[in-house]
Amino acid sequence: MISHTIRSLLKTPSFTLASLAALALGIGANTAIFTLVNTVLLRPLPYQDPARLVMLWQSNPSGQGNDLSAADFEDWRDRTRSFQQIAALTGASFNLTDGDRPERLNGMRVSSAFFSVLGVAPTLGSVFPADEEQPGAERSVILSDALWKRRFGADPSIIGKIIHLDRRPYVIAGVMPPAFEFFGFESELYAPQPLDANRSNRAYHDLQALARLKPNVTLQQARAEMDTIARQLALEFPKSNQGWGATVVPLQEAISGNIKPAFLILMAAVAFVLLIACANVANLLLARAAGRQKEFAIRSALGAGRLDIVRRLLSESILLAVTGGALGILLAQWGISALLALHPPDIPRLSQVSIDVRVLSFTLLIALLTGVLFGLAPAAQFSKVDLNDALKDASRGASEGRSGRRTRSTLVVAEVALALVLLIGAGLLIRTFAALNGASTGFLTENLLTLNVSIPVEQYATEQQVAYDFDRVVQRLQSIPGVLSASAATNLPVGGWNQGRQLTIEGRPPTTSGEVLGAGYMSITPDYFHTIGIPLRRGREFNAQDRRGSPDVVIVSESMARRFWPGENPVGKRIVCASIAFPRRALGVPVPREIVGIVGDVQHIGREAETSVEMYVPQMQNTIPFTFFVARTAGDPARLAPGMTRSVNEVLKESAVTGVKTIEDRLAESFSRPRFQMLVLGIFAAVALLLASIGIYGVIAYSVTQRTQEIGIRMALGADARQVLRLILAHGLKLALIGVALGLATAFACTRLMATLLYGVAPTDVPTFAGVSGLLLLTATAATLIPAWRAAKTDPARTLRSQL
């Protein structure tokens, strides 16, 4: 059977190659996307019993942040009975100050239970003990395998040696396994997290919590208990905890939850591509089977039953599908490489992408299902043969009949409808990307160069010394030829994060129960708004007199002014919020600040996010040891990068300079995810459009072949070429219009699922729906025009003679 099936397919190489190409595209696209989905969403996390791992966050009705305070963490840890262990963690950066030049390392500060919660252990050495979390204890550090190999040459005797981080000695306690990472953090080392520093200040939220559920505790039970604990703390500490709740999220969801909708939409898109490919191949098989009616009739006459013919046709379709699946795996390998080259940097676990047993099983399954799916149409159509009609008409060419034409037309309508849904989805993402590009940034993006540093605070006795050094750096930057102005700030526009602060408004009654006022918080130098190009709307900017010892001041954004003082002028009014205490990252005593100005809105989270409220304080009044330096240049800012880096190093000798890039590069990075979604869905939509066009062409071309005698008679009776052309075009456009109508209805329902991926465009955007429909109809017209033109050239005399 198999050898005969192979020979049968080899007799029609054009049909076989066309079918394999369509199947390889459809199955390959599905395999490539499923490989990403499998790695990011389905593959178990590489920890012990990962299904019981959860993240714990605080939450409040205003949505201001979800980290928790050290005091609340300890209360959660001591009161809960749902978890085996709870660990605290937070991202951190360190300056490795051993050697000639400091090196900036990304890491984590974690409590001692962190590694046991995950169920992992160092390959060398051990984890640090619990007393490392206490002040004055010996500092330990655990290295990642990559850092151990890169910086220390994989020295097996590294345990117990001392390195200096931010000029402080740390003893190397261990080295983690090569594959270990905690997703969401690019950690090269792990240091203890001291919990006592902020224990007395519940208003300072800087920790996250990782926990392991007890074996017999469900997620719902843990959530109920944490809600009870949060309510207890709100009663005990109403000033700091009123309105704050507890959120329990599975670790897998916490890692990949925000990208899950995009990946599921891509899976749906490639499923549509596969269905279109199946419809194409089914049409090819119908056309091929129509030409084999004499063969089926002879087989039936020799005793072959209907089941034998069905089995033979299905064997051909399944062999095509399996072969197409094998080619699809090869195509998927290339596609995965292309997707990884395009992928945004914030998708976790992509470094582990590989085609594993689950992916191969998925590919085999869809290949078999595909083979059965597109093989059913010809099997059902031609397994029952009328011997008299088939043998009698064999000399004059086979005809598939009205039922066959209806089946082929239905398949083309389905192709057009599915292609339209994909094209509309891609069109909406293109509109989104255009809206993001066209959205106002709120500042001038041209010729801005940025870099950032995190200084070791231990080398400074006072906050004023830090501010003085930052001011010296700014002055050096301003003295570089080609630099028009320079400044410093704790964050940059579209930086992807923002520090938040709770606040109260002086002279205003307390807020209603559960309501928490808050805003983004930035510490800046006086020339920041001028350098970055943020317009001043009212009042004044900061100046050299706004320093420690002078009245505390603040500048607010337009959004903050509208939200908290609607219809009023807030300049001259006062708010109360806490500053960062020096040298530890903790909140100081809340102080009243007078509002001296209002500036334009700038989005610090991302251009697709809602506009956030912001407040700015002078760096001389609250200096934070992590800062960005930014300079506006007269020409290409990249040319001045070495000089700017050198100026920073001359002043901040113990601090590594990182993130040297233009603001336009940072903006491009903020677009990486919508760009990725747009490109991938656009590629699939283009493939779908191509397959649908081929399907329309194939059906109309075959219809012209089947109707050659009819067309010849029409022309013999007086029909001219224009009438024939119009007849064939009408048939093709009729199918396309029905497909477009069905596609519009389907897209109207489906695109609502894309709402979270869109910006500046509605899921049912009329111009997108209309424009894409017009494009598809134009494409269908072009695909129909070729066979229609061929039909119009029919010679009636020759056609009628051939039928005699």
Side-chain angles (χ1 to χ4, degrees):
M1 172 73 78
I2 294 179
S3 60
H4 182 274
T5 301
I6 294 174
R7 287 196 301 272
S8 176
L9 292 174
L10 292 177
K11 289 178 181 177
T12 52
S14 58
F15 156 79
T16 303
L17 289 174
S19 300
L20 289 178
L23 291 171
L25 278 174
I27 296 176
N30 275 266
T31 301
I33 295 299
F34 180 76
T35 302
L36 299 185
V37 170
N38 176 54
T39 301
V40 176
L41 301 181
L42 303 180
R43 188 179 292 172
L45 296 171
Y47 311 125
Q48 179 184 344
D49 198 3
R52 289 166 48 210
L53 294 174
V54 296
M55 294 295 296
L56 307 178
W57 293 309
Q58 283 187 309
S59 59
N60 66 63
S62 70
Q64 287 295 322
N66 53 15
D67 290 349
L68 63 150
S69 68
D72 287 328
F73 168 78
E74 291 191 324
D75 284 330
W76 287 7
R77 182 183 61 186
D78 296 340
R79 300 186 188 194
T80 182
R81 298 294 178 265
S82 297
F83 305 107
Q84 286 182 338
Q85 283 183 303
I86 302 180
L89 57 112
T90 187
S93 61
F94 305 86
N95 290 298
L96 179 60
T97 48
D98 296 328
D100 298 334
R101 295 286 297 274
E103 179 183 359
R104 177 79 167 276
L105 300 176
N106 291 320
M108 296 175 62
R109 288 196 176 274
V110 299
S111 62
S112 57
F114 174 75
F115 299 103
S116 57
V117 169
L118 293 176
V120 296
T123 52
L124 289 178
S126 62
V127 299
F128 34 75
D131 60 8
E132 284 285 295
E133 300 170 8
Q134 305 305 316
E138 182 181 34
R139 295 184 184 88
S140 297
V141 66
I142 297 175
L143 308 180
S144 69
D145 180 79
L147 178 63
W148 174 56
K149 291 176 179 176
R150 176 177 62 81
R151 187 67 189 248
F152 303 101
D155 180 7
S157 61
I158 194 75
I159 305 302
K161 292 187 177 180
I162 294 177
I163 61 174
H164 291 82
L165 301 175
D166 295 335
R167 298 186 67 183
R168 304 174 74 177
Y170 282 75
V171 177
I172 298 176
V175 177
M176 295 306 295
F180 176 76
E181 63 176 316
F182 189 70
F183 302 103
F185 294 85
E186 297 179 1
S187 302
E188 297 181 276
L189 52 82
Y190 306 85
Q193 170 62 54
L195 297 175
D196 73 308
N198 304 326
R199 188 173 291 158
S200 62
N201 195 335
R202 291 180 179 270
Y204 189 64
H205 298 249
D206 68 333
L207 298 178
Q208 298 184 48
L210 171 72
R212 178 176 290 276
L213 289 167
K214 288 181 177 178
N216 297 322
V217 175
T218 65
L219 185 65
Q220 290 72 23
Q221 290 172 330
R223 285 171 171 166
E225 185 193 39
M226 292 305 300
D227 286 341
T228 300
I229 294 173
R231 287 194 295 269
Q232 292 172 351
L233 293 176
L235 292 174
E236 295 172 22
F237 308 99
K239 188 174 181 180
S240 59
N241 286 64
Q242 184 67 44
W244 287 90
T247 303
V248 184
V249 180
L251 181 59
Q252 176 74 72
E253 182 181 332
I255 291 172
S256 58
N258 65 333
I259 61 173
K260 187 175 181 179
F263 272 51
L264 294 181
I265 286 173
L266 290 180
M267 276 300 296
V270 292
F272 279 19
V273 171
L274 182 60
L275 288 174
I276 295 172
C278 287
N280 251 347
V281 177
N283 261 328
L284 290 172
L285 282 171
L286 281 169
R288 183 169 180 266
R292 299 171 65 189
Q293 290 187 78
K294 181 179 179 181
E295 172 193 340
F296 299 148
I298 294 174
R299 289 183 180 277
S300 296
L302 294 177
R306 184 176 183 183
L307 187 60
D308 295 324
I309 296 176
V310 168
R311 189 164 54 244
R312 185 170 297 279
L313 289 171
L314 282 179
S315 68
E316 292 181 4
S317 64
I318 290 174
L319 180 59
L320 280 173
V322 171
T323 307
L327 295 173
I329 291 176
L330 298 177
L331 192 62
Q333 287 279 21
W334 175 84
I336 290 169
S337 299
L339 289 173
L340 292 180
L342 294 172
H343 85 274
D346 57 347
I347 296 181
R349 308 182 72 183
L350 281 188
S351 60
Q352 303 174 3
V353 167
S354 62
I355 294 179
D356 58 13
V357 174
R358 180 183 289 173
V359 174
L360 292 175
S361 301
F362 170 82
T363 303
L364 177 61
L365 177 63
I366 62 170
L368 293 175
L369 290 176
T370 298
V372 173
L373 181 64
F374 68 69
L376 282 176
Q381 182 70 33
F382 295 104
S383 59
K384 189 175 182 179
V385 181
D386 187 323
L387 296 181
N388 290 328
D389 289 344
L391 294 175
K392 181 176 61 177
D393 293 339
S395 61
R396 288 191 286 176
S399 174
E400 61 182 340
R402 181 178 299 176
S403 176
R405 289 194 295 271
R406 187 183 303 116
T407 301
R408 288 169 58 79
S409 297
T410 300
L411 290 172
V412 167
V413 167
E415 286 186 60
V416 172
L418 292 172
L420 183 66
V421 175
L422 278 182
L423 286 166
I424 288 175
L428 290 174
L429 290 183
I430 291 171
R431 291 285 304 274
T432 291
F433 190 72
L436 287 171
N437 268 316
S440 173
T441 60
F443 66 100
L444 303 177
T445 61
E446 296 81 9
N447 298 334
L448 282 176
L449 188 68
T450 68
L451 53 84
N452 60 290
V453 296
S454 180
I455 65 169
V457 295
E458 287 76 14
Q459 65 178 298
Y460 294 93
T462 65
E463 183 178 352
Q464 286 77 9
Q465 291 177 338
V466 179
Y468 174 69
D469 272 359
F470 283 172
D471 189 57
R472 287 174 58 204
V473 171
V474 171
Q475 290 178 23
R476 283 178 178 258
L477 295 177
Q478 289 175 335
S479 67
I480 296 174
V483 172
L484 301 178
S485 63
S487 57
T490 51
N491 193 16
L492 291 173
V494 203
W497 65 280
N498 198 8
Q499 293 181 329
R501 291 288 181 275
Q502 293 185 37
L503 61 94
T504 57
I505 300 175
E506 197 173 79
R508 184 172 295 184
T511 58
T512 58
S513 177
E515 184 182 2
V516 178
L517 300 183
Y521 184 93
M522 284 183 59
S523 173
I524 63 173
T525 58
D527 215 22
Y528 174 74
F529 297 122
H530 170 69
T531 300
I532 207 80
I534 299 175
L536 179 69
R537 303 302 190 193
R538 282 190 179 184
R540 67 173 179 86
E541 298 186 17
F542 298 137
N543 54 46
Q545 283 68 49
D546 296 317
R547 57 179 57 246
R548 181 74 63 176
S550 62
D552 292 292
V553 293
V554 64
I555 292 175
V556 301
S557 67
E558 286 183 293
S559 291
M560 184 170 176
R562 286 193 299 268
R563 180 176 299 183
F564 297 148
W565 297 274
E568 301 180 53
N569 178 11
V571 174
K573 299 183 185 296
R574 292 158 70 90
I575 61 173
V576 179
C577 66
S579 302
I580 294 289
F582 185 87
R584 290 176 174 171
R585 294 180 68 238
L587 286 180
V589 178
V591 296
R593 293 181 176 274
E594 180 184 351
I595 299 173
V596 297
I598 303 174
V599 294
D601 289 329
V602 175
Q603 183 54 263
H604 287 92
I605 303 299
R607 289 173 79 172
E608 72 276 13
E610 293 183 5
T611 301
S612 55
V613 297
E614 308 285 344
M615 54 183 171
Y616 305 84
V617 300
Q619 199 167 81
M620 284 293 186
Q621 291 184 351
N622 187 198
T623 305
I624 300 172
F626 175 85
T627 198
F628 288 88
F629 292 103
V630 57
R632 184 171 296 280
T633 65
D636 180 12
R639 293 187 302 103
L640 302 181
M644 287 182 60
T645 303
R646 192 162 48 250
S647 295
V648 176
N649 286 331
E650 289 171 354
V651 177
L652 306 175
K653 295 182 173 59
E654 302 294 336
S655 302
V657 176
T658 59
V660 182
K661 58 184 71 175
T662 66
I663 203 74
E664 290 175 331
D665 289 337
R666 293 184 181 275
L667 287 170
E669 289 174 1
S670 73
F671 292 158
S672 59
R673 184 176 292 187
R675 183 189 298 112
F676 173 76
Q677 295 162 357
M678 177 193 70
L679 287 175
V680 175
L681 193 58
I683 290 170
F684 294 150
V687 172
L689 181 62
L690 175 63
L691 290 174
S693 303
I694 293 173
I696 294 173
Y697 169 80
V699 165
I700 301 303
Y702 185 77
S703 174
V704 168
T705 302
Q706 293 289 302
R707 299 173 66 182
T708 300
Q709 182 179 6
E710 174 198 340
I711 293 170
I713 293 173
R714 285 178 179 272
M715 298 187 76
L717 294 176
D720 59 18
R722 186 177 303 173
Q723 290 174 316
V724 172
L725 187 67
R726 199 161 45 238
L727 175 70
I728 304 302
L729 279 175
H731 178 46
L733 288 178
K734 177 184 177 182
L735 298 179
L737 285 170
I738 296 173
V740 165
L742 293 175
L744 286 173
T746 305
F748 187 80
C750 291
T751 53
R752 297 174 186 272
L753 302 176
M754 298 176 59
T756 57
L757 306 181
L758 304 180
Y759 172 84
V761 60
T764 54
D765 181 60
V766 173
T768 301
F769 276 57
V772 168
S773 299
L775 172 65
L776 188 53
L777 288 174
L778 284 175
T779 305
T781 302
T784 306
L785 196 57
I786 298 174
W789 187 262
R790 188 182 306 136
K793 296 293 185 181
T794 299
D795 183 344
R798 181 180 299 175
T799 300
L800 294 176
R801 279 198 303 270
S802 66
Q803 298 299 320
L804 296 177

